[in-house]
Amino acid sequence: MKVKKLVCMGVCLLSSVSLYSQIVISEHKTQSNSFPVYTSQKKTAVWVDSSDYESVRKCANLFAEDIGRVTGVEGLVSSTYNGVQNRSWVLIGTIGKSRYIDSLIKEGKLDVSSINGKWESFVVKVVENPMKGLDRALVIAGSDRRGTSYGAFAVSEAMGVSPLYWWADVPVKKKKSVYLETEEYVSTPPSVKYRGIFINDEGWGITPWAGKTYDKELGDIGPKTYARVCELILRMKGNMLAPAMHPSSGAFNKYPENKKVADSYGIIMSSSHCEPLLFNNVTEWDKDVHGEWNYMTNKQGIIDVLDKRVSENCAYENIYTIAMRGIHDSGLVGVPKDKEVELVEQVIQDQRGILSKYIQTPIDSIPQIFVPYKEVLDIYERGLKLPEDITVVWPDDNFGYIKKLNTAKEAARKGGSGVYYHISYLGEPHDYLWLNTTPPALMYEEMSKAYATGAKTYWLLNVGDIKPGELGIKTFLDIAWDCEGFDYGNINRHQVDFLTSIFGEVYRKSLSDIMTTYYKLGFQRKPEAMGWGYEWNNEHSQERITDTDFSFTNYCEAERRIAEYDRISNMAESIWKALPEEYKACFYELVFYPVKGAALMNKKMLTAQQNRWFARQGRSMTNDYARKAQAYQDSIGYYTDLYNKQLDGKWNYMMSLAPGWVATYQNMPPTETIELPEEGKLCLQLPDQDLTLGATNTLPVLNSYTRKDTYIDLYNKGKGEVKWRAETSAKWIRLSMDKGTLQDYHRIKVVVDWDEVPVGEKVSGTIKIVSNQSEEVILLTVMNPAAPSLEEVKGLYLEENGCVVINPGKYHRKYDNKDVKIQSIDGLGYEGQCIQLGNPLAPVQDTYRTDMTGRAEYDFYSFNAGSVTVYTYAIPTFPLYPGRSTRFGVMIDDGVIKFASNDAKEYSSEWKENVARNGSVNAIRLTVNKPGKHTLKLICKDPGVMVQKVVIDFGGMKRSYLGPEVTLMK
């Protein structure tokens, strides 16, 4: 943990909810030296030096307000000690800026040796006899202005004031008294120096909300809104903001008060990858006034605006984006490719000249970042000479996978490095601006990898409109504060711990289930991408919604997806309705709306797909399913409207289905209606039956090892009722229904009585469905062989219907070596678990001796043999840096080893497919030499590869999105 407890009185509550959790607050005095922060007998005086930083004075006032939020009585902020004895005194100050703090240090009453000169560190200590006439005081001292603020907010959070008390309406639990049980607490510097958020693509959320609801007078995002944003960042232990920059909102520097507000909270201003020296060329550059944004033809015009910007902002704490792109998010204008490197080097030199002109410190001490985003990475890799003191900020691919990290040489650069990461994005292959579905485990895997390779200077998170990304922001900034305090064991508990701290331990199990399933389903496919396809309507230049790859017939995967969304949304709704009124808005924002919204979006798209399929079959239910799809669309609108109207419209205009550029998910998908004949007609649909016409009436093979059930769907193609009856050829075939009158649809559950089935490798029976119009005979084949026994296959992956399906996280054996450690990762992958083949920083492995190489092994049993296709579903991470790859070996028994990889160039068709499905699918041909027990091996070649699913196909693989269900025998 990034904290050091010197003396702690009482029980220390260790939890990932708060990295300040070792500061213990109680409502009742538990020991003689408990410090009364507030009691009815001793009201609180918050004491801050008038000469301390403005941000510290502001924080002191917020701390006094926090006492009021908890107790109902605000603290009284004062800059002098007036000798009043009926108050609890809290002294807040910065070393070297507060004469009170400095006096205590000088007198030996406050030891700050462990934080003095450190970055953003603090001490919380109860000091005896701090001055004449005062017996005790709670002292919060910081090494710098933000360190002081973090110390004060650490106590606030321990009292029960969440960093999200305003932005997510987290209720503050009231206390009659507040006692501090911790005698002394000392922090250490954060893991990452600069930690912040980027408000982006703001036109559908925070801009209309700010302009129409929160700050109607301004009608835009301005000082009032940014004050709330800066407070949130500070309370979440961040220190940096890249402001909104799209044409939908006024540029940050359009309103001079904005930068003063940010500084008043101690927030450092940064900017996006396309805003050089804090200049927003999207709205601030006027072509009619300034000419072309072209450095080759209009260098002086560009230098003039950058010069002016630095002259206006240099008095404040900033991080300056260096280099140049085109207008907004585009490449350089009018520059031949062979001149790009030379020109960017000149731009950097000129920009550093501007900085040196106005900032009177050495150029290598001025915070500067270079962001090799999109085409800029190519320019960098072609030999760009970058000054050593500039921080390189490595971007992800906009979908959560970092494209490149430090080589050993880059890690040694004086300026260090960082990461620009997304939980919201507008662009190809699919926008995701609505809900946050980035799994905490993926964020941790990528950010911890960056941290381990030396990217510790600057972490920026693209958060879209802030809401509904609050949980993602908290996770990101908590990791940035204390990266070493997280691991794969606790990262998936982090958000659940936080939610449980709000809504109660009674909901922990349910919240864990809801959030785990929500992220797993969203990882399989984002709700915004359920429109599917890359088919374009050229007339309107818009994506056209098509059928998804989720199948309603094969493996029932579409039905199972809907059922899982229904399950967790019903759980969330039950909790929401059961909560006290003051907790409902918070739960709605953090849990219920994202879960319910994702569920309804999936149901809308999949039900519309089902409707179109039913129309092709002529089912009588076709029109009902068109109405159901419309109802789900209407429900999304209802719940979104409810989000905006709750709390008397506090968040009005904040939530919407942001359409973006590519997405059409917000629209009603196409549905079909049909005219039905008067006479009814009975038809069949069987599982794994892809074809509407020409399909044979054959059920999937069942076996005595897994003992699964199957089903027969009967549907009507007309208005009239159809009477039917079912007959079986053998008594071991049991049906849930054997007769009925069909109006629309019946599902007959088919169960095998295994005590009655004859022994045999291929035992067949039939089911006859008879109506007054037709007679359909359905073949059911079961495997009930004498060998192997159930005990022999127990614990193995078993071939079922021609496939062995493996969850790589559940291995039978793993073999590490001195460099490579194999580990399962929960919370990531199609099955909610995957395998990581070695630490990403380990050296590339020599796979000549597979018995010496790190690997995971999976035992399986096959009933067939011969050539097989092994499908591996890898998570589409990038190589660590040029010269590395993402290769891994696949091997059956001691046969030939073949290699797969998920290397794909950004914006290639393969990459688009990979990030849309969060999976890179490879097909490898191998051989199973005979039926029986075998072993599949996943072998580390390039460490860090993560595999989330493996299918060994003997010829039974059906069309689907996720593939068959895992076939592990329990």
Side-chain angles (χ1 to χ4, degrees):
M1 298 291 286
K2 279 283 175 185
V3 291
K4 181 181 179 184
K5 180 193 66 172
L6 298 184
V7 181
C8 180
M9 307 303 293
V11 179
C12 294
L13 305 175
L14 298 176
S15 166
S16 62
V17 170
S18 169
L19 299 177
Y20 300 141
S21 57
Q22 288 175 293
I23 295 178
V24 180
I25 294 287
S26 64
E27 188 171 5
H28 304 286
K29 188 174 183 177
T30 61
Q31 49 202 347
S32 60
N33 60 351
S34 299
F35 182 82
V37 178
Y38 169 83
T39 68
S40 57
Q41 290 77 35
K42 285 185 175 290
K43 296 181 181 179
T44 311
V46 180
W47 189 10
V48 62
D49 194 333
S50 58
S51 64
D52 211 325
Y53 295 103
E54 180 186 2
S55 62
V56 172
R57 301 196 305 273
K58 178 163 283 187
C59 177
N61 281 279
L62 288 169
F63 180 78
E65 293 173 13
D66 288 345
I67 293 172
R69 292 184 178 99
V70 175
T71 67
V73 181
E74 281 193 16
L76 176 66
V77 180
S78 174
S79 60
T80 58
Y81 173 59
N82 58 17
V84 178
Q85 293 299 305
N86 65 338
R87 296 193 183 280
S88 294
W89 286 86
V90 179
L91 172 55
I92 298 174
T94 311
I95 299 169
K97 290 292 287 185
S98 168
R99 60 183 181 273
Y100 307 123
I101 295 292
D102 291 347
S103 176
L104 291 174
I105 296 169
K106 185 176 180 180
E107 294 170 12
K109 296 178 180 180
L110 180 66
D111 181 5
V112 296
S113 58
S114 59
I115 68 166
N116 199 9
K118 300 286 182 63
W119 181 256
E120 297 179 345
S121 303
F122 62 89
V123 59
V124 176
K125 180 178 174 60
V126 177
V127 175
E128 307 291 335
N129 302 310
M131 61 178 54
K132 187 177 181 180
L134 185 60
D135 294 335
R136 305 172 81 204
L138 170 59
V139 177
I140 302 172
S143 61
D144 51 32
R145 62 176 179 162
R146 283 181 294 275
T148 307
S149 295
Y150 296 146
F153 287 138
V155 179
S156 286
E157 194 171 347
M159 288 192 300
V161 181
S162 169
L164 286 166
Y165 80 95
W166 193 86
W167 276 95
D169 301 297
V170 177
V172 177
K173 296 181 176 71
K174 302 299 182 183
K175 296 179 175 67
K176 293 181 179 179
S177 300
V178 176
Y179 288 93
L180 177 70
E181 306 293 351
T182 307
E183 187 174 301
E184 185 170 7
Y185 174 96
V186 181
S187 81
T188 52
S191 295
V192 178
K193 186 173 185 179
Y194 300 116
R195 314 164 306 282
I197 63 173
F198 173 25
I199 299 171
N200 194 29
D201 305 316
E202 67 275 9
W204 298 282
I206 196 170
T207 295
W209 167 78
K212 298 178 183 179
T213 302
Y214 189 64
D215 196 355
K216 292 181 180 179
E217 291 184 4
L218 183 66
D220 199 354
I221 303 177
K224 184 178 178 182
T225 303
Y226 278 120
R228 286 292 186 182
V229 173
C230 290
E231 181 190 346
L232 172 69
I233 293 169
L234 202 60
R235 285 183 182 268
M236 281 195 163
K237 305 177 292 294
N239 60 10
M240 173 180 68
L241 170 66
M245 47 76 68
H246 276 261
S248 59
S249 61
F252 182 80
N253 285 286
K254 176 180 178 181
Y255 307 108
E257 193 67 22
N258 280 344
K259 55 182 176 285
K260 298 176 184 177
V261 164
D263 189 65
S264 74
Y265 283 90
I267 296 301
I268 307 163
M269 290 310 301
S270 184
S271 62
S272 78
H273 48 84
C274 48
E275 296 177 88
L277 301 191
L278 307 177
F279 182 78
N280 181 342
N281 66 19
V282 181
T283 58
E284 294 187 285
W285 180 265
D286 187 334
K287 181 180 178 181
D288 294 335
V289 174
H290 303 117
E292 294 285 343
W293 182 263
N294 184 325
Y295 212 74
M296 295 189 75
T297 61
N298 190 21
K299 174 178 176 178
Q300 193 56 50
I302 295 173
I303 285 178
D304 287 346
V305 297
L306 300 184
D307 185 283
K308 185 173 185 291
R309 176 51 35 79
V310 175
S311 71
E312 294 168 341
N313 290 50
C314 63
Y316 303 97
E317 205 173 353
N318 301 306
I319 300 171
Y320 296 93
T321 299
I322 294 294
M324 185 177 178
R325 299 186 69 208
I327 293 288
H328 198 186
D329 191 1
S330 62
L332 290 168
V333 177
V335 185
K337 193 172 184 68
D338 62 349
K339 297 292 184 183
E340 286 178 336
V341 172
E342 179 184 346
L343 181 131
V344 173
E345 288 177 351
Q346 182 61 53
V347 169
I348 293 171
Q349 181 180 331
D350 294 341
Q351 290 174 347
R352 284 160 69 85
I354 294 171
L355 293 176
S356 295
K357 177 180 175 182
Y358 291 104
I359 303 174
Q360 303 307 307
T361 58
I363 188 64
D364 61 1
S365 65
I366 301 171
Q368 302 157 70
I369 59 171
F370 171 78
V371 188
Y373 186 75
K374 293 186 177 177
E375 80 289 340
V376 183
L377 179 58
D378 177 62
I379 295 173
Y380 173 79
E381 291 181 336
R382 280 189 272 133
L384 180 75
K385 295 181 179 64
L386 193 67
E388 282 288 305
D389 57 274
I390 295 176
T391 302
V392 179
V393 179
W394 303 116
D396 68 353
D397 63 351
N398 306 307
F399 289 85
Y401 301 102
I402 301 173
K403 294 188 293 182
K404 180 191 180 304
L405 287 167
N406 290 326
T407 61
K409 182 179 179 182
E410 287 163 336
R413 298 180 75 259
K414 178 181 178 182
S417 61
V419 173
Y420 170 43
Y421 199 75
H422 290 73
I423 59 169
S424 175
Y425 179 63
L426 172 66
E428 292 186 84
H430 218 293
D431 313 310
Y432 61 103
L433 303 173
W434 181 35
L435 303 177
N436 169 36
T437 51
T438 300
L442 176 63
M443 181 184 289
Y444 172 71
E445 186 276 333
E446 291 291 283
M447 299 313 296
S448 63
K449 181 168 63 179
Y451 184 79
T453 55
K456 303 178 181 182
T457 303
Y458 180 104
W459 283 14
L460 183 69
L461 181 68
N462 187 320
V463 301
D465 295 305
I466 296 180
K467 299 180 73 64
E470 302 98 320
L471 293 177
I473 297 169
K474 178 165 174 53
T475 297
F476 182 88
L477 290 178
D478 280 353
I479 296 172
W481 177 263
D482 180 19
C483 191
E484 294 172 13
F486 286 87
D487 56 35
Y488 287 118
N490 65 23
I491 186 59
N492 294 306
R493 297 196 305 268
H494 177 255
Q495 293 181 9
V496 174
D497 284 346
F498 176 66
L499 293 170
T500 302
S501 74
I502 300 169
F503 303 112
E505 281 292 330
V506 67
Y507 295 117
R508 176 178 289 278
K509 184 176 179 181
S510 295
L511 287 168
S512 180
D513 187 1
I514 290 168
M515 299 309 293
T516 298
T517 306
Y518 170 75
Y519 283 121
K520 182 176 82 169
L521 294 172
F523 185 78
Q524 291 171 353
R525 192 78 178 190
K526 290 184 180 298
E528 297 92 337
M530 287 300 295
W532 226 261
Y534 305 109
E535 298 185 18
W536 293 84
N537 181 329
N538 292 325
E539 182 180 350
H540 301 292
S541 297
Q542 192 176 44
E543 181 189 40
R544 180 158 56 89
I545 294 171
T546 64
D547 282 358
T548 77
D549 287 347
F550 286 105
S551 176
F552 278 95
T553 55
N554 298 330
Y555 316 124
C556 295
E557 64 175 357
E559 284 187 10
R560 287 190 286 113
R561 184 173 178 83
I562 289 172
E564 278 292 270
Y565 267 124
D566 275 342
R567 186 179 66 81
I568 62 171
S569 64
N570 290 340
M571 288 173 65
E573 188 160 9
S574 295
I575 295 172
W576 175 52
K577 289 180 176 178
L579 286 169
E581 194 62 35
E582 63 269 27
Y583 285 85
K584 286 186 175 180
C586 176
F587 189 84
Y588 195 94
E589 295 163 42
L590 293 178
V591 180
F592 179 69
Y593 180 81
V595 171
K596 188 71 171 181
L600 288 169
M601 185 60 66
N602 275 266
K603 290 170 74 173
K604 177 185 80 171
M605 292 300 188
L606 292 172
T607 301
Q609 174 180 324
Q610 208 167 11
N611 156 265
R612 298 188 295 270
W613 177 40
F614 285 179
R616 292 193 295 272
Q617 293 179 315
R619 291 198 189 197
S620 62
M621 300 169 66
T622 299
N623 299 347
D624 288 339
Y625 273 65
R627 288 188 286 269
K628 284 176 67 174
Q630 182 64 58
Y632 294 139
Q633 169 79 335
D634 295 343
S635 293
I636 295 170
Y638 168 80
Y639 286 109
T640 301
D641 192 49
L642 187 59
Y643 189 113
N644 290 326
K645 287 181 177 177
Q646 65 181 342
L647 301 173
D648 297 322
K650 175 181 177 180
W651 298 114
N652 201 21
Y653 297 104
M654 174 63 84
M655 188 53 60
S656 68
L657 273 67
W661 292 338
V662 178
T664 55
Y665 74 101
Q666 75 283 355
N667 299 327
M668 180 63 197
T671 56
E672 298 179 24
T673 57
I674 61 173
E675 288 292 329
L676 294 174
E678 291 297 324
E679 185 180 3
K681 181 180 179 181
L682 183 146
C683 293
L684 304 180
Q685 176 70 54
L686 305 180
D688 294 357
Q689 191 179 65
D690 269 334
L691 303 176
T692 302
L693 297 174
T696 58
N697 290 341
T698 304
L699 288 167
V701 176
L702 304 180
N703 66 71
S704 58
Y705 304 103
T706 58
R707 301 198 171 193
K708 293 180 180 178
D709 302 327
T710 188
Y711 65 87
I712 300 167
D713 280 348
L714 309 181
Y715 65 88
N716 196 343
K717 293 182 70 172
K719 295 179 182 178
E721 296 179 343
V722 180
K723 293 185 181 296
W724 63 270
R725 72 178 189 276
E727 303 171 359
T728 64
S729 64
K731 63 180 181 179
W732 52 265
I733 304 174
R734 306 289 177 86
L735 305 178
S736 61
M737 301 172 64
D738 61 8
K739 62 183 176 181
T741 302
L742 180 68
Q743 179 66 55
D744 291 311
Y745 163 81
H746 285 155
R747 173 162 287 185
I748 304 171
K749 187 176 180 181
V750 180
V751 179
V752 171
D753 184 344
W754 293 102
D755 292 333
E756 298 288 341
V757 178
V759 174
E761 294 181 351
K762 190 176 181 180
V763 180
S764 296
T766 59
I767 303 164
K768 185 186 296 184
I769 307 293
V770 180
S771 71
N772 60 351
Q773 306 160 328
S774 63
E775 181 178 293
E776 298 276 2
V777 178
I778 302 161
L779 177 65
L780 172 63
T781 301
V782 301
M783 290 176 54
N784 188 30
S789 68
L790 187 60
E791 278 301 311
E792 287 178 273
V793 298
K794 188 175 182 179
L796 305 181
Y797 290 95
L798 187 76
E799 181 193 343
E800 186 171 29
N801 283 295
C803 293
V804 175
V805 188
I806 293 169
N807 171 6
K810 289 182 167 47
Y811 51 78
H812 288 99
R813 292 167 301 281
K814 72 181 183 79
Y815 295 92
D816 300 335
N817 60 32
K818 65 182 181 64
D819 296 318
V820 168
K821 308 299 177 189
I822 308 294
Q823 64 175 330
S824 292
I825 297 175
D826 291 330
L828 189 55
Y830 291 168
E831 305 299 327
Q833 191 179 53
C834 66
I835 195 81
Q836 186 181 57
L837 300 175
N839 185 301
L841 276 66
V844 176
Q845 297 294 289
D846 181 356
T847 53
Y848 179 72
R849 286 282 305 276
T850 55
D851 60 323
M852 302 294 289
T853 307
R855 64 193 184 281
E857 295 188 350
Y858 307 85
D859 296 333
F860 68 92
Y861 192 96
S862 72
F863 300 102
N864 293 288
S867 179
V868 296
T869 302
V870 180
Y871 295 96
T872 56
Y873 298 69
I875 292 174
T877 53
F878 284 82
L880 205 59
Y881 45 73
R884 294 286 289 256
S885 182
T886 56
R887 295 164 297 175
F888 60 98
V890 184
M891 186 178 184
I892 292 178
D893 298 329
D894 293 322
V896 64
I897 180 173
K898 291 190 177 179
F899 292 94
S901 82
N902 47 277
D903 289 358
K905 187 173 178 58
E906 189 180 20
Y907 294 107
S908 67
S909 58
E910 182 182 0
W911 170 84
K912 289 178 182 180
E913 182 71 20
N914 287 354
V915 296
R917 67 181 299 138
N918 280 309
S920 173
V921 184
N922 281 275
I924 293 172
R925 299 290 289 180
L926 293 173
T927 299
V928 174
N929 61 358
K930 61 181 179 180
K933 184 178 176 182
H934 301 276
T935 299
L936 178 124
K937 303 170 186 178
L938 295 178
I939 300 166
C940 178
K941 178 65 175 178
D942 290 291
V945 172
M946 293 178 289
V947 184
Q948 56 186 323
K949 192 164 187 172
V950 178
V951 178
I952 306 172
D953 178 20
F954 287 82
M957 185 89 153
K958 301 287 186 179
R959 292 183 300 175
S960 67
Y961 180 72
L962 298 173
E965 293 183 79
V966 171
T967 60
L968 180 62
M969 290 292 297
K970 296 180 179 179

